[in-house]
Protein backbone atom coordinates (compact mmCIF):
# COMPACT_ATOMS: atom_id res chain seq x y z
CA UNK A 1 0.00 0.00 0.00
CA UNK A 2 1.39 3.39 -0.95
CA UNK A 3 1.07 5.89 1.82
CA UNK A 4 3.22 8.75 3.01
CA UNK A 5 4.45 7.86 6.48
CA UNK A 6 4.41 10.24 9.41
CA UNK A 7 7.71 11.03 11.14
CA UNK A 8 8.38 8.50 13.88
CA UNK A 9 8.29 9.38 17.54
CA UNK A 10 11.87 10.45 18.48
CA UNK A 11 12.19 7.76 21.15
CA UNK A 12 10.48 4.98 19.25
CA UNK A 13 11.58 1.49 20.28
CA UNK A 14 13.50 0.78 17.09
CA UNK A 15 15.48 3.97 17.56
CA UNK A 16 16.54 2.98 21.06
CA UNK A 17 17.62 -0.41 19.74
CA UNK A 18 19.50 1.29 16.88
CA UNK A 19 21.22 3.61 19.35
CA UNK A 20 22.23 0.61 21.48
CA UNK A 21 23.64 -1.19 18.43
CA UNK A 22 25.67 1.89 17.55
CA UNK A 23 26.92 2.18 21.10
CA UNK A 24 28.11 -1.41 20.94
CA UNK A 25 29.82 -0.77 17.58
CA UNK A 26 31.39 2.37 19.00
CA UNK A 27 32.60 0.44 22.04
CA UNK A 28 34.06 -2.20 19.76
CA UNK A 29 35.81 0.44 17.65
CA UNK A 30 37.30 2.12 20.72
CA UNK A 31 38.43 -1.01 22.53
CA UNK A 32 39.25 -3.49 19.79
CA UNK A 33 40.94 -1.33 17.17
CA UNK A 34 44.38 0.19 17.47
CA UNK A 35 44.44 3.73 18.85
CA UNK A 36 47.87 3.68 20.53
CA UNK A 37 49.23 6.07 17.88
CA UNK A 38 46.75 8.75 18.84
CA UNK A 39 48.56 10.48 21.76
CA UNK A 40 51.79 10.70 19.79
CA UNK A 41 50.16 12.38 16.81
CA UNK A 42 47.66 14.50 18.68
CA UNK A 43 49.61 17.80 18.39
CA UNK A 44 50.02 17.24 14.65
CA UNK A 45 46.32 16.47 14.31
CA UNK A 46 45.43 19.73 16.05
CA UNK A 47 47.75 21.60 13.73
CA UNK A 48 46.20 19.90 10.70
CA UNK A 49 42.72 20.71 11.92
CA UNK A 50 43.74 24.32 12.35
CA UNK A 51 45.14 24.46 8.81
CA UNK A 52 41.96 22.90 7.41
CA UNK A 53 39.75 25.39 9.22
CA UNK A 54 41.98 28.32 8.23
CA UNK A 55 41.74 27.16 4.61
CA UNK A 56 37.96 26.94 4.89
CA UNK A 57 37.30 30.31 6.48
CA UNK A 58 39.90 32.33 4.59
CA UNK A 59 38.75 31.04 1.21
CA UNK A 60 35.06 31.43 2.08
CA UNK A 61 35.58 35.07 3.08
CA UNK A 62 37.90 35.94 0.18
CA UNK A 63 35.78 34.01 -2.29
CA UNK A 64 32.61 35.73 -1.14
CA UNK A 65 34.23 39.16 -1.47
CA UNK A 66 35.20 38.24 -5.01
CA UNK A 67 31.74 36.84 -5.73
CA UNK A 68 30.03 40.16 -4.94
CA UNK A 69 31.44 42.05 -7.95
CA UNK A 70 31.15 38.89 -10.08
CA UNK A 71 27.43 38.73 -9.36
CA UNK A 72 26.84 42.45 -9.51
CA UNK A 73 28.33 43.12 -12.93
CA UNK A 74 26.19 40.36 -14.38
CA UNK A 75 23.10 42.25 -13.24
CA UNK A 76 24.06 45.88 -13.74
CA UNK A 77 26.50 45.62 -16.61
CA UNK A 78 28.50 46.96 -18.36
CA UNK A 79 27.70 44.19 -20.80
CA UNK A 80 31.28 43.12 -21.56
CA UNK A 81 32.20 42.85 -17.86
CA UNK A 82 29.05 40.83 -17.26
CA UNK A 83 30.00 38.47 -20.09
CA UNK A 84 33.47 38.13 -18.63
CA UNK A 85 32.12 37.34 -15.16
CA UNK A 86 29.63 34.82 -16.56
CA UNK A 87 32.42 33.19 -18.53
CA UNK A 88 34.58 32.94 -15.42
CA UNK A 89 31.75 31.32 -13.44
CA UNK A 90 31.08 28.82 -16.25
CA UNK A 91 34.74 27.92 -16.47
CA UNK A 92 35.09 27.37 -12.73
CA UNK A 93 31.84 25.43 -12.48
CA UNK A 94 32.60 23.36 -15.54
CA UNK A 95 35.96 21.91 -14.48
CA UNK A 96 36.96 19.79 -11.46
CA UNK A 97 38.48 21.63 -8.52
CA UNK A 98 41.34 19.12 -8.40
CA UNK A 99 42.32 20.09 -11.94
CA UNK A 100 42.12 23.82 -11.13
CA UNK A 101 44.26 23.28 -8.06
CA UNK A 102 46.92 21.39 -10.00
CA UNK A 103 46.82 23.93 -12.85
CA UNK A 104 47.48 26.74 -10.39
CA UNK A 105 50.05 24.91 -8.27
CA UNK A 106 52.09 23.13 -10.96
CA UNK A 107 51.34 25.50 -13.84
CA UNK A 108 51.77 28.80 -12.04
CA UNK A 109 54.58 27.33 -9.97
CA UNK A 110 56.52 26.28 -13.07
CA UNK A 111 56.03 29.72 -14.61
CA UNK A 112 57.24 31.45 -11.45
CA UNK A 113 60.39 29.35 -11.49
CA UNK A 114 61.30 30.91 -14.84
CA UNK A 115 61.38 34.46 -13.49
CA UNK A 116 64.58 34.63 -11.46
CA UNK A 117 63.95 38.31 -10.65
CA UNK A 118 61.04 37.23 -8.45
CA UNK A 119 63.47 35.64 -6.02
CA UNK A 120 64.65 38.97 -4.68
CA UNK A 121 61.20 40.33 -3.94
CA UNK A 122 59.26 40.12 -0.69
CA UNK A 123 56.81 37.72 -2.33
CA UNK A 124 59.29 34.92 -2.85
CA UNK A 125 59.06 33.34 0.63
CA UNK A 126 55.32 33.00 0.03
CA UNK A 127 55.56 31.89 -3.58
CA UNK A 128 57.84 29.06 -2.56
CA UNK A 129 55.23 27.56 -0.28
CA UNK A 130 52.20 25.55 -1.29
CA UNK A 131 49.45 27.19 0.72
CA UNK A 132 49.14 30.45 -1.25
CA UNK A 133 48.35 28.41 -4.36
CA UNK A 134 45.84 26.30 -2.44
CA UNK A 135 44.16 29.42 -1.05
CA UNK A 136 44.06 30.97 -4.53
CA UNK A 137 42.52 27.87 -6.11
CA UNK A 138 39.91 27.38 -3.38
CA UNK A 139 39.07 31.11 -3.39
CA UNK A 140 38.57 31.22 -7.16
CA UNK A 141 36.45 28.08 -7.00
CA UNK A 142 34.22 29.43 -4.23
CA UNK A 143 33.94 32.77 -6.04
CA UNK A 144 32.90 31.00 -9.25
CA UNK A 145 30.07 29.12 -7.60
CA UNK A 146 28.95 32.02 -5.41
CA UNK A 147 29.16 34.57 -8.25
CA UNK A 148 26.32 32.68 -9.86
CA UNK A 149 24.37 32.61 -6.57
CA UNK A 150 24.89 36.33 -5.99
CA UNK A 151 23.80 37.13 -9.54
CA UNK A 152 20.48 35.50 -8.77
CA UNK A 153 20.28 37.20 -5.38
CA UNK A 154 20.98 40.68 -6.76
CA UNK A 155 18.51 40.17 -9.59
CA UNK A 156 15.88 38.85 -7.20
CA UNK A 157 15.64 41.85 -4.87
CA UNK A 158 12.15 43.27 -5.52
CA UNK A 159 12.24 46.30 -7.80
CA UNK A 160 9.87 48.24 -5.54
CA UNK A 161 12.39 48.24 -2.68
CA UNK A 162 15.05 49.79 -4.90
CA UNK A 163 12.58 52.29 -6.31
CA UNK A 164 11.47 53.24 -2.80
CA UNK A 165 15.09 53.88 -1.87
CA UNK A 166 15.58 56.03 -4.94
CA UNK A 167 12.36 57.93 -4.20
CA UNK A 168 13.74 58.73 -0.74
CA UNK A 169 16.65 60.44 -2.49
CA UNK A 170 19.32 57.81 -1.77
CA UNK A 171 22.42 58.06 -3.93
CA UNK A 172 23.35 54.88 -5.83
CA UNK A 173 26.13 54.13 -3.32
CA UNK A 174 23.89 54.47 -0.28
CA UNK A 175 21.13 52.56 -2.02
CA UNK A 176 23.57 49.72 -2.72
CA UNK A 177 25.01 49.72 0.79
CA UNK A 178 21.76 50.02 2.71
CA UNK A 179 19.18 48.24 0.57
CA UNK A 180 20.48 46.24 -2.36
CA UNK A 181 23.48 44.49 -0.80
CA UNK A 182 21.92 43.51 2.56
CA UNK A 183 18.73 42.32 0.90
CA UNK A 184 20.68 40.30 -1.67
CA UNK A 185 22.85 38.73 1.02
CA UNK A 186 19.89 37.78 3.17
CA UNK A 187 18.26 36.19 0.13
CA UNK A 188 21.40 34.24 -0.70
CA UNK A 189 22.33 33.16 2.83
CA UNK A 190 20.61 29.77 2.94
CA UNK A 191 22.34 28.78 -0.30
CA UNK A 192 25.64 30.24 0.87
CA UNK A 193 25.50 28.21 4.07
CA UNK A 194 25.07 25.02 2.09
CA UNK A 195 28.01 26.05 -0.06
CA UNK A 196 30.22 26.61 2.98
CA UNK A 197 29.69 22.95 3.90
CA UNK A 198 30.54 21.93 0.33
CA UNK A 199 33.69 24.04 0.61
CA UNK A 200 34.59 22.30 3.88
CA UNK A 201 34.41 19.01 2.02
CA UNK A 202 36.67 20.37 -0.73
CA UNK A 203 39.47 21.37 1.62
CA UNK A 204 41.15 17.92 1.83
CA UNK A 205 42.09 18.33 -1.84
CA UNK A 206 44.81 20.79 -0.80
CA UNK A 207 46.73 17.84 0.65
CA UNK A 208 47.49 16.80 -2.94
CA UNK A 209 49.66 19.91 -3.35
CA UNK A 210 51.61 19.27 -0.12
CA UNK A 211 49.66 21.53 2.22
CA UNK A 212 49.72 19.80 5.62
CA UNK A 213 46.04 19.90 6.48
CA UNK A 214 44.11 17.35 8.55
CA UNK A 215 43.87 14.94 5.64
CA UNK A 216 47.62 15.14 5.01
CA UNK A 217 48.34 14.43 8.68
CA UNK A 218 46.10 11.36 8.55
CA UNK A 219 47.84 10.16 5.37
CA UNK A 220 51.16 10.66 7.12
CA UNK A 221 50.02 8.62 10.12
CA UNK A 222 48.87 5.83 7.82
CA UNK A 223 52.25 5.75 6.10
CA UNK A 224 54.23 5.90 9.35
CA UNK A 225 52.33 3.29 11.33
CA UNK A 226 50.98 1.02 8.55
CA UNK A 227 47.56 1.24 10.19
CA UNK A 228 45.02 1.41 7.38
CA UNK A 229 41.55 2.03 8.70
CA UNK A 230 41.66 3.61 12.15
CA UNK A 231 43.07 6.99 10.99
CA UNK A 232 40.54 7.12 8.17
CA UNK A 233 37.71 6.41 10.59
CA UNK A 234 38.93 9.23 12.81
CA UNK A 235 39.14 11.54 9.78
CA UNK A 236 35.59 10.74 8.70
CA UNK A 237 34.37 11.25 12.27
CA UNK A 238 36.07 14.65 12.54
CA UNK A 239 34.55 15.81 9.26
CA UNK A 240 31.13 14.60 10.36
CA UNK A 241 31.46 16.53 13.60
CA UNK A 242 32.59 19.66 11.73
CA UNK A 243 29.68 19.39 9.27
CA UNK A 244 27.29 18.84 12.17
CA UNK A 245 28.60 21.86 14.05
CA UNK A 246 28.36 24.10 10.98
CA UNK A 247 24.82 22.88 10.30
CA UNK A 248 23.79 23.58 13.89
CA UNK A 249 25.34 27.04 13.72
CA UNK A 250 23.49 27.84 10.51
CA UNK A 251 20.19 26.50 11.85
CA UNK A 252 20.57 28.63 14.95
CA UNK A 253 21.31 31.67 12.80
CA UNK A 254 18.38 30.92 10.50
CA UNK A 255 16.01 30.91 13.47
CA UNK A 256 17.45 34.20 14.67
CA UNK A 257 16.88 35.90 11.32
CA UNK A 258 13.33 34.97 10.36
CA UNK A 259 13.30 37.03 7.15
CA UNK A 260 16.18 35.06 5.70
CA UNK A 261 15.79 33.80 2.18
CA UNK A 262 12.70 35.92 1.53
CA UNK B 1 59.85 32.82 -22.02
CA UNK B 2 60.11 29.04 -21.81
CA UNK B 3 56.58 28.64 -20.51
CA UNK B 4 55.02 30.57 -23.38
CA UNK B 5 56.77 28.44 -25.96
CA UNK B 6 55.67 25.34 -24.03
CA UNK B 7 52.12 26.61 -24.16
CA UNK B 8 52.39 27.16 -27.90
CA UNK B 9 53.95 23.75 -28.52
CA UNK B 10 50.76 22.06 -29.62
CA UNK B 11 52.60 19.15 -31.18
CA UNK B 12 52.64 17.74 -27.63
CA UNK B 13 48.88 17.31 -28.05
CA UNK B 14 49.10 15.30 -31.26
CA UNK B 15 47.15 12.08 -31.21
CA UNK B 16 50.10 9.75 -31.74
CA UNK B 17 53.20 9.36 -29.58
CA UNK B 18 55.31 11.33 -28.83
CA UNK B 19 52.16 13.53 -28.61
CA UNK B 20 49.93 12.94 -25.60
CA UNK B 21 46.60 13.79 -27.25
CA UNK B 22 45.55 10.17 -27.69
CA UNK B 23 46.32 9.39 -24.05
CA UNK B 24 44.28 12.39 -22.92
CA UNK B 25 41.31 11.39 -25.07
CA UNK B 26 41.47 7.84 -23.72
CA UNK B 27 41.46 9.23 -20.20
CA UNK B 28 38.55 11.45 -21.11
CA UNK B 29 36.63 8.44 -22.43
CA UNK B 30 37.38 6.61 -19.17
CA UNK B 31 36.09 9.61 -17.18
CA UNK B 32 32.86 9.76 -19.17
CA UNK B 33 32.30 6.00 -18.89
CA UNK B 34 32.85 6.08 -15.12
CA UNK B 35 30.56 9.10 -14.81
CA UNK B 36 27.81 7.34 -16.79
CA UNK B 37 28.15 4.16 -14.77
CA UNK B 38 28.28 5.94 -11.44
CA UNK B 39 25.34 8.12 -12.36
CA UNK B 40 23.26 5.06 -13.24
CA UNK B 41 24.20 3.34 -9.97
CA UNK B 42 23.42 6.56 -8.09
CA UNK B 43 20.03 6.90 -9.78
CA UNK B 44 19.06 3.33 -8.94
CA UNK B 45 20.14 3.74 -5.31
CA UNK B 46 18.39 7.11 -5.24
CA UNK B 47 15.13 5.71 -6.54
CA UNK B 48 15.21 2.83 -4.10
CA UNK B 49 16.16 5.18 -1.26
CA UNK B 50 13.54 7.79 -2.08
CA UNK B 51 10.86 5.11 -2.22
CA UNK B 52 11.94 3.67 1.11
CA UNK B 53 12.33 7.05 2.76
CA UNK B 54 8.79 8.00 1.75
CA UNK B 55 6.83 4.77 1.96
CA UNK B 56 9.03 2.45 4.00
CA UNK B 57 8.67 1.30 7.58
CA UNK B 58 10.09 3.27 10.49
CA UNK B 59 13.33 1.32 10.73
CA UNK B 60 13.94 1.42 6.96
CA UNK B 61 13.44 5.15 6.89
CA UNK B 62 15.86 5.73 9.75
CA UNK B 63 18.51 3.55 8.15
CA UNK B 64 18.21 5.36 4.83
CA UNK B 65 18.35 8.66 6.69
CA UNK B 66 21.57 7.51 8.33
CA UNK B 67 23.05 6.63 4.93
CA UNK B 68 22.21 9.96 3.29
CA UNK B 69 23.32 12.04 6.28
CA UNK B 70 26.63 10.25 6.74
CA UNK B 71 27.59 10.26 3.08
CA UNK B 72 26.74 13.92 2.68
CA UNK B 73 28.72 14.91 5.79
CA UNK B 74 32.07 13.38 4.79
CA UNK B 75 34.29 14.74 1.97
CA UNK B 76 34.03 12.78 -1.28
CA UNK B 77 37.81 12.35 -1.32
CA UNK B 78 37.78 10.63 2.08
CA UNK B 79 34.80 8.46 1.11
CA UNK B 80 36.46 7.41 -2.12
CA UNK B 81 39.64 6.54 -0.28
CA UNK B 82 37.76 4.59 2.39
CA UNK B 83 35.38 2.76 0.08
CA UNK B 84 37.98 2.14 -2.62
CA UNK B 85 40.56 0.53 -0.36
CA UNK B 86 38.38 -0.69 2.48
CA UNK B 87 35.75 -1.98 0.05
CA UNK B 88 38.14 -4.10 -1.99
CA UNK B 89 39.76 -5.29 1.22
CA UNK B 90 36.41 -6.24 2.71
CA UNK B 91 35.40 -8.22 -0.36
CA UNK B 92 38.65 -10.15 -0.23
CA UNK B 93 38.34 -10.79 3.51
CA UNK B 94 34.84 -12.15 2.99
CA UNK B 95 36.03 -14.28 0.08
CA UNK B 96 38.89 -15.64 2.16
CA UNK B 97 36.50 -16.39 5.01
CA UNK B 98 34.34 -18.45 2.68
CA UNK B 99 37.38 -20.21 1.33
CA UNK B 100 37.67 -18.53 -2.07
CA UNK B 101 40.78 -17.11 -3.72
CA UNK B 102 41.18 -13.35 -3.28
CA UNK B 103 40.28 -11.46 -6.46
CA UNK B 104 41.85 -8.37 -7.94
CA UNK B 105 39.00 -5.91 -8.10
CA UNK B 106 38.98 -3.96 -11.31
CA UNK B 107 39.63 -0.25 -10.67
CA UNK B 108 36.87 0.70 -13.07
CA UNK B 109 34.21 -1.31 -11.23
CA UNK B 110 35.40 -0.05 -7.85
CA UNK B 111 35.37 3.55 -9.08
CA UNK B 112 31.87 3.25 -10.51
CA UNK B 113 30.52 1.66 -7.34
CA UNK B 114 32.24 4.10 -4.98
CA UNK B 115 31.13 7.25 -6.82
CA UNK B 116 27.73 5.64 -7.38
CA UNK B 117 27.26 5.10 -3.64
CA UNK B 118 28.18 8.73 -2.99
CA UNK B 119 25.85 9.93 -5.75
CA UNK B 120 23.08 7.71 -4.43
CA UNK B 121 22.87 9.71 -1.22
CA UNK B 122 22.36 12.96 -3.08
CA UNK B 123 20.02 11.37 -5.64
CA UNK B 124 17.88 9.97 -2.81
CA UNK B 125 17.24 13.47 -1.52
CA UNK B 126 16.56 14.93 -4.98
CA UNK B 127 14.10 12.17 -5.90
CA UNK B 128 12.42 12.24 -2.49
CA UNK B 129 11.72 15.94 -2.91
CA UNK B 130 10.46 15.40 -6.46
CA UNK B 131 8.07 12.62 -5.43
CA UNK B 132 6.79 14.77 -2.58
CA UNK B 133 6.02 17.50 -5.11
CA UNK B 134 3.58 15.24 -6.98
CA UNK B 135 0.05 16.29 -6.01
CA UNK B 136 -1.13 13.73 -3.48
CA UNK B 137 -4.45 13.24 -5.22
CA UNK B 138 -2.70 11.64 -8.21
CA UNK B 139 -1.27 8.88 -6.01
CA UNK B 140 -4.56 8.40 -4.22
CA UNK B 141 -6.35 8.13 -7.55
CA UNK B 142 -3.86 5.47 -8.66
CA UNK B 143 -4.46 3.51 -5.46
CA UNK B 144 -8.21 3.91 -5.91
CA UNK B 145 -7.91 2.37 -9.40
CA UNK B 146 -6.35 -0.68 -7.80
CA UNK B 147 -2.89 -0.21 -9.32
CA UNK B 148 -0.08 -2.24 -7.79
CA UNK B 149 3.16 -0.84 -6.41
CA UNK B 150 5.21 -1.30 -9.58
CA UNK B 151 2.43 -0.05 -11.77
CA UNK B 152 2.13 3.14 -9.73
CA UNK B 153 5.88 3.64 -9.81
CA UNK B 154 6.07 3.17 -13.56
CA UNK B 155 2.93 4.90 -14.70
CA UNK B 156 2.41 7.67 -12.15
CA UNK B 157 5.41 8.43 -9.98
CA UNK B 158 8.21 8.29 -12.55
CA UNK B 159 6.58 10.43 -15.24
CA UNK B 160 4.93 12.86 -12.81
CA UNK B 161 8.06 13.54 -10.76
CA UNK B 162 10.34 13.99 -13.78
CA UNK B 163 9.84 17.75 -14.25
CA UNK B 164 10.46 18.33 -10.52
CA UNK B 165 13.48 16.05 -10.41
CA UNK B 166 15.24 17.17 -13.58
CA UNK B 167 16.99 20.31 -12.31
CA UNK B 168 18.42 18.43 -9.32
CA UNK B 169 19.34 15.37 -11.38
CA UNK B 170 20.98 17.56 -14.03
CA UNK B 171 23.04 19.20 -11.32
CA UNK B 172 24.06 15.76 -10.03
CA UNK B 173 25.22 14.77 -13.52
CA UNK B 174 27.44 17.85 -13.67
CA UNK B 175 28.76 17.00 -10.20
CA UNK B 176 29.52 13.37 -11.08
CA UNK B 177 31.51 14.30 -14.19
CA UNK B 178 33.73 16.41 -11.94
CA UNK B 179 33.84 13.86 -9.10
CA UNK B 180 35.49 11.33 -11.39
CA UNK B 181 38.60 13.54 -11.16
CA UNK B 182 38.93 12.45 -7.52
CA UNK B 183 39.78 8.94 -8.69
CA UNK B 184 43.12 10.43 -9.76
CA UNK B 185 44.04 10.46 -6.07
CA UNK B 186 43.70 6.67 -5.86
CA UNK B 187 45.71 6.33 -9.07
CA UNK B 188 42.97 5.41 -11.53
CA UNK B 189 43.82 6.48 -15.10
CA UNK B 190 41.06 8.93 -15.84
CA UNK B 191 41.50 12.33 -17.47
CA UNK B 192 42.99 14.21 -14.52
CA UNK B 193 45.44 11.43 -13.69
CA UNK B 194 46.73 11.02 -17.28
CA UNK B 195 46.99 14.80 -17.53
CA UNK B 196 49.22 14.81 -14.49
CA UNK B 197 51.37 12.10 -16.04
CA UNK B 198 51.60 13.96 -19.35
CA UNK B 199 52.40 17.26 -17.65
CA UNK B 200 54.99 15.65 -15.41
CA UNK B 201 56.71 13.91 -18.32
CA UNK B 202 56.88 16.94 -20.60
CA UNK B 203 57.01 19.75 -18.00
CA UNK B 204 54.39 21.61 -20.08
CA UNK B 205 52.08 21.96 -17.09
CA UNK B 206 50.00 24.85 -18.35
CA UNK B 207 49.38 23.33 -21.76
CA UNK B 208 48.13 19.98 -20.47
CA UNK B 209 46.05 21.23 -17.56
CA UNK B 210 44.41 23.80 -19.84
CA UNK B 211 43.76 21.13 -22.47
CA UNK B 212 42.15 18.87 -19.87
CA UNK B 213 40.14 21.84 -18.59
CA UNK B 214 38.82 22.44 -22.10
CA UNK B 215 37.76 18.79 -22.36
CA UNK B 216 35.89 18.93 -19.03
CA UNK B 217 34.35 22.26 -19.97
CA UNK B 218 33.16 20.96 -23.33
CA UNK B 219 31.52 18.02 -21.58
CA UNK B 220 29.76 20.40 -19.17
CA UNK B 221 28.61 22.75 -21.93
CA UNK B 222 27.29 19.96 -24.15
CA UNK B 223 25.56 18.38 -21.14
CA UNK B 224 23.96 21.70 -20.19
CA UNK B 225 22.67 22.11 -23.73
CA UNK B 226 21.20 18.60 -23.78
CA UNK B 227 19.70 19.06 -20.32
CA UNK B 228 17.91 22.22 -21.46
CA UNK B 229 16.34 20.29 -24.32
CA UNK B 230 15.38 17.46 -21.97
CA UNK B 231 13.77 19.89 -19.54
CA UNK B 232 11.74 21.46 -22.32
CA UNK B 233 10.58 17.99 -23.31
CA UNK B 234 9.71 16.96 -19.73
CA UNK B 235 7.77 20.17 -19.18
CA UNK B 236 5.79 19.91 -22.41
CA UNK B 237 2.13 20.65 -21.96
CA UNK B 238 2.76 22.36 -18.66
CA UNK B 239 2.18 26.06 -18.07
CA UNK B 240 5.55 27.81 -18.04
Amino acid sequence: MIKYQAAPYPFATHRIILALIFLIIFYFIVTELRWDWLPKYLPKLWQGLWVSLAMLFSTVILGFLLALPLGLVQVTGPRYLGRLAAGFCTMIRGTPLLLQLWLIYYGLGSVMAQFPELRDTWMWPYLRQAWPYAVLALTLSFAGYEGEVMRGAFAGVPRGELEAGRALGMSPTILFRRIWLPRAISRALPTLMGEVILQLKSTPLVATVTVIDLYAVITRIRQDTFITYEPLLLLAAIYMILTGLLTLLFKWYERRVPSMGV
Amino acid sequence: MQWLSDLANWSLLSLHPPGWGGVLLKGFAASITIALGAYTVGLLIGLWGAWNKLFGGELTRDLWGLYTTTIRAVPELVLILMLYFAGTDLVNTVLKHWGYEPIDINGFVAGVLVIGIVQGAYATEVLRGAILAIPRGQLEAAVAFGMGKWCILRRIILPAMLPFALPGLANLWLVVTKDTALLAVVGFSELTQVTRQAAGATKAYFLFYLAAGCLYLSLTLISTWLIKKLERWANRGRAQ
Side-chain angles (χ1 to χ4, degrees):
Chain A
M1 178 65 197
I2 293 208
K3 210 173 119 207
Y4 288 108
Q5 308 284 344
Y9 177 60
F11 298 108
T13 334
H14 74 278
R15 284 200 168 164
I16 294 172
I17 295 170
L18 264 186
L20 279 177
I21 292 174
F22 278 108
L23 268 181
I24 292 168
I25 293 177
F26 185 70
Y27 178 79
F28 171 79
I29 286 176
V30 169
T31 55
E32 296 294 313
L33 298 183
R34 280 190 61 189
W35 298 103
D36 48 324
W37 46 273
L38 200 52
K40 190 181 151 205
Y41 286 100
L42 209 51
K44 276 201 177 140
L45 283 171
W46 276 117
Q47 235 163 30
L49 179 65
W50 192 87
V51 170
S52 286
L53 288 179
M55 280 282 160
L56 171 67
F57 288 114
S58 62
T59 58
V60 161
I61 292 170
L62 290 174
F64 180 68
L65 289 179
L66 192 58
L68 284 181
L70 279 176
L72 195 63
V73 292
Q74 289 183 65
V75 178
T76 60
R79 181 72 67 76
Y80 66 93
L81 274 184
R83 286 261 171 79
L84 221 60
F88 173 78
C89 291
T90 313
M91 255 163 50
I92 292 287
R93 283 151 32 103
T95 50
L97 175 56
L98 190 62
L99 192 79
Q100 296 164 15
L101 186 65
W102 287 355
L103 171 71
I104 287 176
Y105 181 70
Y106 294 111
L108 221 53
S110 70
V111 173
M112 297 282 184
Q114 289 167 22
F115 288 93
E117 55 269 32
L118 273 174
R119 291 175 197 208
D120 301 325
T121 61
W122 57 271
M123 294 186 297
W124 189 245
Y126 297 102
L127 294 179
R128 272 174 47 200
Q129 294 175 35
W131 66 263
Y133 301 97
V135 168
L136 179 64
L138 283 179
T139 301
L140 289 182
S141 159
F142 194 74
Y145 283 91
E146 281 9 277
E148 194 67 25
V149 172
M150 287 318 290
R151 182 193 62 77
F154 278 122
V157 173
R159 260 208 132 103
E161 295 183 23
L162 299 180
E163 280 164 5
R166 241 170 259 137
L168 285 174
M170 287 185 179
S171 71
T173 337
I174 292 185
L175 184 74
F176 178 73
R177 215 183 55 215
R178 291 207 192 147
I179 314 277
W180 210 8
L181 181 63
R183 286 289 286 128
I185 290 180
S186 84
R187 286 178 69 86
L189 261 183
T191 320
L192 287 177
M193 290 171 176
E195 299 276 340
V196 171
I197 290 178
L198 289 183
Q199 183 82 349
L200 169 72
K201 296 195 292 167
S202 305
T203 55
L205 289 181
V206 302
T208 61
V209 295
T210 71
V211 175
I212 311 290
D213 74 328
L214 189 63
Y215 177 83
V217 174
I218 293 284
T219 313
R220 181 70 191 282
I221 294 173
R222 293 177 67 213
Q223 283 163 358
D224 283 359
T225 59
F226 300 110
I227 299 175
T228 325
Y229 298 119
E230 287 86 342
L232 278 180
L233 278 179
L234 180 72
L235 182 64
I238 294 175
Y239 270 106
M240 272 161 71
I241 291 170
L242 287 179
T243 312
L245 285 180
L246 279 178
T247 314
L248 278 183
L249 181 76
F250 294 154
K251 276 211 173 126
W252 168 79
Y253 192 78
E254 233 167 280
R255 263 201 304 275
R256 250 176 53 120
V257 187
S259 68
M260 213 167 70
V262 180
Chain B
M1 291 291 110
Q2 178 65 36
W3 68 278
L4 265 182
S5 61
D6 274 348
L7 194 56
N9 185 6
W10 284 31
S11 65
L12 286 175
L13 288 178
S14 89
L15 287 179
H16 305 287
W20 286 82
V23 181
L24 285 198
L25 284 184
K26 241 189 211 156
F28 190 39
S31 286
I32 296 179
T33 324
I34 290 226
L36 282 173
Y39 192 65
T40 315
V41 172
L43 267 187
L44 292 177
I45 296 180
L47 202 59
W48 186 28
W51 181 279
N52 276 318
K53 261 190 129 173
L54 284 171
F55 310 119
E58 292 193 337
L59 182 63
T60 333
R61 267 180 294 154
D62 277 353
L63 287 177
W64 276 98
L66 208 64
Y67 160 68
T68 55
T69 321
T70 322
I71 294 282
R72 292 187 306 152
V74 179
E76 279 83 352
L77 182 62
V78 179
L79 284 174
I80 285 173
L81 205 66
M82 282 175 88
L83 294 174
Y84 200 85
F85 290 128
T88 47
D89 218 42
L90 193 74
V91 169
N92 276 331
T93 316
V94 171
L95 282 179
K96 203 173 148 198
H97 185 80
W98 294 92
Y100 290 99
E101 289 291 302
I103 50 168
D104 196 22
I105 291 177
N106 176 323
F108 174 79
V109 175
V112 164
L113 284 180
V114 167
I115 299 187
I117 289 173
V118 176
Q119 279 273 311
Y122 292 89
T124 300
E125 294 299 323
V126 168
L127 293 177
R128 195 184 76 97
I131 294 177
L132 269 178
I134 302 174
R136 209 168 267 213
Q138 295 188 10
L139 290 184
E140 283 164 9
V143 173
F145 269 113
M147 286 186 181
K149 209 165 90 171
W150 290 104
C151 190
I152 294 182
L153 181 70
R154 196 165 49 86
R155 287 213 196 144
I156 314 291
I157 292 187
L158 286 184
M161 79 166 180
L162 201 59
F164 304 115
L166 263 184
L169 290 182
N171 200 20
L172 279 182
W173 165 249
L174 296 179
V175 169
V176 78
T177 57
K178 289 179 281 169
D179 269 359
T180 54
L182 295 177
L183 289 177
V185 176
V186 290
F188 184 79
S189 301
E190 46 65 68
L191 181 53
T192 305
Q193 169 72 5
V194 298
T195 307
R196 178 157 72 162
Q197 286 164 351
T202 58
K203 304 286 172 224
Y205 293 100
F206 251 123
L207 176 70
F208 281 112
Y209 285 123
L210 282 179
C214 288
L215 287 179
Y216 278 116
L217 194 60
S218 66
L219 178 61
T220 305
L221 292 179
I222 293 172
S223 303
T224 320
W225 178 71
L226 284 177
I227 287 162
K228 248 186 207 148
K229 290 199 127 180
L230 196 63
E231 274 182 11
R232 206 169 307 146
W233 172 79
N235 279 306
R236 71 202 182 283
R238 207 174 270 271
Q240 295 295 315

